[in-house]
């Protein structure tokens, strides 16, 4: 059984009487200790999916799913109190932009201590202080810096501290939403190393969300790619990032980033833009931007199928010959 098991999840925001389907019939599983990536252009529904899992969506949303389970616990029917205790203790999230969310007038150490105290009120002050030091060391910050204020930390250090915060109560699953997006390239590489090391050392399961496929290729065991609210491809990262991507969208997305060893090949963007999620097109949602579309693509929505010759790899494209799932 997967630690996180999402089946047929649909999330829509009600805006001015119109439903914006930010997540549409999505299946996603994360096994214990597994690092899974979730990729796709800005606005395709990645953060919405993370917020649905952590039950932090605004009230004007509709959430429906055949299954939204965490370690056998049904997240859809959980009461608010159990949700809150689950959220930190077992399942935590590093929000998009979390590094800018520290309270500027409280020291970093005090903010991590407060998170621990809230969820483990019986812990002694001394035990909490030791735990804060241990957490900071784990993310590569000297425990002596616990008394610093957020403005005394660089961007990379603040991001490390927000990861320490997410680890504060020994979660089994950490969701990291765009963990490196606001950082320079060198710092980004260091944070990626840190995340991978923590996942391995602590046996953590992780769902790493990024619009940048190169970030995911370095980190993940498995990656799912979303387009306009739907998962269009999912498979082992090793296959998908070494020429085995099956969906035309994934291939175009990969072309948007420099590939190691590809020489001076030019980087191409994807012409056009994603569809309006309030009025998604018929057929394959990518068809209007797809270089290999057929008439069928504009009218019939392709189902996810097994990609022939690649285990655990599925894609939703009429041009893929595999059996429907
Ligand atoms: N709080 C919200 N209220 C209304 N619409 C939203 C809200 N958050 C996101 N959306 C819409 O949902 C879609 C998906 O957004 P999001 O999940 O943030 O995508 P991503 O994280 O992939 O960039 C977008 O069309 C966005 O405008
Ligand atoms: Mg987002």
């Amino acid at each position: 059984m997967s630690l996180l098991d999402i089946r047929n999840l649909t999330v829509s925001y009600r805006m001015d009487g119109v439903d914006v389907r930010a997540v549409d019939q999505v299946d996603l599983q994360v096994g214990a200790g597994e690092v899974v990536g979730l990729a796709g252009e800005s606005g395709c529904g990645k953060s919405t999916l993370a917020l649905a899992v952590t039950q932090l969506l605004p009230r004007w949303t509709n959430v429906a799913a055949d299954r939204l389970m965490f370690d056998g616990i049904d997240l859809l029917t959980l009461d608010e109190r159990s949700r809150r205790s689950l959220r930190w203790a077992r399942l935590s999230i590093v929000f998009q932009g979390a590094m800018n969310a520290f309270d500027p007038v409280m020291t970093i150490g005090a903010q991590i201590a407060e998170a621990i105290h809230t969820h483990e009120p019986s812990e002694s002050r001394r035990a909490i202080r030791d735990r804060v030091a241990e957490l900071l060391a784990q993310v590569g910050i000297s425990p002596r810096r616990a008394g610093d204020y957020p403005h005394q930390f660089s961007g990379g250090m603040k991001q490390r501290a927000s990861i320490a915060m997410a680890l504060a109560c020994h979660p089994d699953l950490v969701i990291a939403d765009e963990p490196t997006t606001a950082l320079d390239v060198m710092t980004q590489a260091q944070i990626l190393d840190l995340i991978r090391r923590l996942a391995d050392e602590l046996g953590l399961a992780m769902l790493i969300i990024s619009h940048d496929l190169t970030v995911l290729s370095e980190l993940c065991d498995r990656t799912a790619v979303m387009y306009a609210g739907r998962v269009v491809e999912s498979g082992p990262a090793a296959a998908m990032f070494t020429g085995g991507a099956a969906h035309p969208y994934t291939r175009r997305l990969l072309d948007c980033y420099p590939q190691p060893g590809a020489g001076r090949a030019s980087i191409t963007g994807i012409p056009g833009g994603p569809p309006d999620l309030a009025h998604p097109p018929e057929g394959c949602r990518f068809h209007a931007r797809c270089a290999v579309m057929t008439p069928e693509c504009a009218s019939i929505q392709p189902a996810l199928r097994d990609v022939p010759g690649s285990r655990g790899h599925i894609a939703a494209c009429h041009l893929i010959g595999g059996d429907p799932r």
Side-chain angles (χ1 to χ4, degrees):
M1 193 181 65
S2 298
L3 187 60
L4 178 66
D5 191 4
I6 303 174
R7 310 266 164 149
N8 201 16
L9 172 68
T10 296
V11 182
S12 33
Y13 295 101
R14 188 117 191 110
M15 300 292 284
D16 304 326
V18 182
D19 274 336
V20 175
R21 276 203 177 195
V23 173
D24 198 358
Q25 299 175 49
V26 163
D27 286 2
L28 189 75
Q29 280 82 39
V30 181
E34 192 182 24
V35 180
V36 175
L38 185 63
E41 276 165 289
S42 196
C44 71
K46 305 181 298 298
S47 294
T48 301
L49 182 137
L51 294 174
V53 171
T54 46
Q55 309 268 301
L56 290 167
L57 284 163
R59 268 183 297 114
W60 60 91
T61 44
N62 261 320
V63 181
D66 288 347
R67 193 181 257 250
L68 188 60
M69 306 270 274
F70 176 79
D71 201 16
I73 303 164
D74 186 350
L75 298 172
L76 287 170
T77 57
L78 214 57
D79 63 68
E80 185 51 34
R81 236 185 99 215
S82 322
R83 269 180 201 173
R84 235 181 285 154
S85 60
L86 186 80
R87 201 139 62 210
W88 275 80
R90 308 254 357 245
L91 187 168
S92 70
I93 179 164
V94 182
F95 288 106
Q96 192 164 346
M99 58 190 250
N100 300 316
F102 284 104
D103 184 337
V105 297
M106 236 174 124
T107 66
I108 295 279
Q111 294 185 57
I112 300 175
E114 188 176 81
I116 301 172
H117 178 70
T118 306
H119 296 275
E120 293 167 19
S122 58
E123 284 292 325
S124 70
R125 285 173 65 155
R126 194 200 164 87
I128 291 180
R129 204 173 51 226
D130 290 349
R131 175 88 185 121
V132 170
E134 183 195 9
L135 282 163
L136 288 175
Q138 238 164 14
V139 299
I141 296 175
S142 161
R144 276 175 310 177
R145 304 290 301 265
D148 282 6
Y149 289 89
H151 76 268
Q152 293 169 287
F153 273 26
S154 67
M157 285 174 75
K158 272 191 269 193
Q159 189 59 318
R160 286 172 191 268
S162 58
I163 294 169
M165 193 87 152
L167 299 176
C169 302
H170 305 280
D172 302 292
L173 171 70
V174 174
I175 299 178
D177 194 357
E178 305 277 4
T180 63
T181 298
L183 304 170
D184 65 78
V185 179
M186 287 306 292
T187 312
Q188 176 168 325
Q190 290 162 3
I191 297 290
L192 295 181
D193 279 351
L194 171 69
I195 291 175
R196 184 73 240 191
R197 185 169 58 72
L198 288 172
D200 291 343
E201 282 175 7
L202 305 175
L204 279 175
M206 287 194 149
L207 179 64
I208 315 240
I209 297 175
S210 180
H211 67 279
D212 184 341
L213 280 170
T214 50
V215 163
L216 300 178
S217 68
E218 290 176 36
L219 275 182
C220 300
D221 304 316
R222 206 153 52 76
T223 297
V225 179
M226 280 180 83
Y227 185 75
R230 311 198 59 142
V231 168
V232 295
E233 180 162 9
S234 159
M240 278 172 58
F241 296 116
T242 52
H247 198 285
Y249 175 62
T250 313
R251 290 203 218 120
R252 293 304 297 262
L253 202 56
L254 282 164
D255 285 345
C256 296
Y257 296 96
Q259 301 294 309
R264 290 169 66 98
S266 62
I267 294 169
T268 52
I270 309 175
D276 175 5
L277 292 176
H279 308 283
E282 296 276 299
C284 171
R285 295 203 170 160
F286 186 58
H287 78 259
R289 301 168 81 188
C290 185
V292 292
M293 75 160 274
T294 63
E296 187 186 23
C297 305
S299 56
I300 302 169
Q301 185 170 296
L304 281 164
R305 293 161 187 272
D306 289 318
V307 175
S310 185
R311 265 189 84 211
H313 189 173
I314 52 175
C317 174
H318 289 304
L319 300 179
I320 294 162
D323 295 326
R325 299 191 84 222

